[in-house]
Amino acid sequence: MGHRFFVNGDPVEVEVPGMRRLLDVLREDLGLTGTKEGCGEGECGACSVLLDGAVVDSCLVPVCQVSGTSVRTVEGLADGERLNDLQAAFLEAGGAQCGICTPGMLMAAEAYLAAGGGQDEDAIREAIAGNLCRCTGYTKIIDAIALAADRRLRADPH
Ligand code: FES
Ligand code: FES
């Protein structure tokens, strides 16, 4: 029997063994290669996606656990060719270098912003604590997230 769930708002069904990693289902079965594999062991966060809004390491999640849920990947951030505000801030602040960590970083940051996260550096560091970057030293990534947080809060103050 297939596993049915939603990816970036679209219903999908995949006929694969239940223990197949969500990461492989996304990349290989659904062709969504934006999600990256780093360690494959739950250590680096390169494979982070949102599962019903929560950040998970897709290399650790068997697809059987995803049935009925809503998955959001980096492909779900942009609107066609138009980057979303967070992606634009990464570009502006130079938060991406080699780019391997970037999709996962964006998803962790998106969850942080969706929860109403602000510009506080410590809070941002905590939000991306599970996402390793070997290029940027994190400063530009934190700047990018703070920039996006500021703009989102200005656009929709609570
Ligand atoms: S590839 Fe999943 S946490 Fe590193
Ligand atoms: S930009 Fe290269 S690992 Fe983060």
Side-chain angles (χ1 to χ4, degrees):
M1 203 185 71
H3 307 276
R4 290 187 197 178
F5 50 102
F6 291 85
V7 178
N8 299 325
D10 296 325
V12 298
E13 180 168 3
V14 287
E15 302 272 349
V16 296
M19 289 310 286
R20 185 160 168 79
R21 305 182 306 172
L22 175 59
L23 175 63
D24 299 326
V25 169
L26 290 171
R27 289 182 54 86
E28 294 170 17
D29 303 328
L30 300 174
L32 295 171
T33 54
T35 303
K36 302 298 181 214
E37 176 159 15
C39 64
E41 296 177 347
E43 300 290 338
C44 74
C47 65
S48 299
V49 298
L50 303 187
L51 193 58
D52 287 339
V55 186
V56 297
D57 293 327
S58 63
C59 71
L60 294 184
V61 177
V63 69
C64 61
Q65 282 183 9
V66 173
S67 288
T69 68
S70 187
V71 177
R72 195 161 176 218
T73 70
V74 70
E75 286 90 349
L77 293 182
D79 181 7
E81 291 294 296
R82 223 183 59 199
L83 299 180
N84 87 343
D85 53 354
L86 180 61
Q87 292 170 307
F90 263 67
L91 206 59
E92 213 174 309
Q97 286 185 23
C98 81
I100 286 288
C101 74
T102 309
M105 210 52 101
L106 285 167
M107 299 321 287
E110 184 64 34
Y112 173 74
L113 296 185
Q119 291 179 277
D120 180 66
E121 183 182 332
D122 289 342
I124 294 174
R125 277 190 189 276
E126 195 179 320
I128 58 166
N131 296 77
L132 304 184
C133 176
R134 59 191 161 81
C135 304
T136 65
Y138 299 95
T139 307
K140 290 178 175 179
I141 290 173
I142 291 164
D143 289 348
I145 298 170
L147 188 63
D150 179 47
R151 287 178 183 159
R152 250 187 228 198
L153 291 172
R154 273 174 212 266
D156 185 18
H158 287 295

